[in-house]
Amino acid sequence: MEPLRQADPRNVGGHQVIARLGEGGMGQVFLGTSPGGRPVAIKVVRPALAAEAGFRERFRREVEAARAVSGAFIAPVIEAD
């Protein structure tokens, strides 16, 4: 976990952003809290990737796959857009 950088968002979709968790090919992942105070991981997609044709369909499939698994050590998908 790393502190937020100056250019990092402080709020995404009503979730407060607290720290950076990592970065990958798709974008950055942040630690945040839900409006109710629950800890959440927030994935923010790179703008160039989001503008790519067909990306939203691939992302929708990734979200569906993530929602299909559950367990004590699996973070559930709370929302996606």
Side-chain angles (χ1 to χ4, degrees), residues 14-26:
H15 297 80
Q16 181 182 1
V17 179
I18 298 171
R20 293 176 71 87
L21 292 177
E23 189 167 347
M26 196 177 273

Side-chain angles (χ1 to χ4, degrees), residues 15-66:
H15 297 80
Q16 181 182 1
V17 179
I18 298 171
R20 293 176 71 87
L21 292 177
E23 189 167 347
M26 196 177 273
Q28 297 85 26
V29 180
F30 299 98
L31 172 63
T33 56
S34 71
R38 179 179 181 178
V40 295
I42 304 166
K43 181 186 280 188
V44 177
V45 176
R46 297 180 193 285
L49 186 58
E52 183 182 301
F55 170 76
R56 289 186 72 83
E57 177 59 26
R58 290 193 311 272
F59 186 68
R60 184 190 62 74
R61 287 193 309 264
E62 178 182 317
V63 169
E64 283 180 6

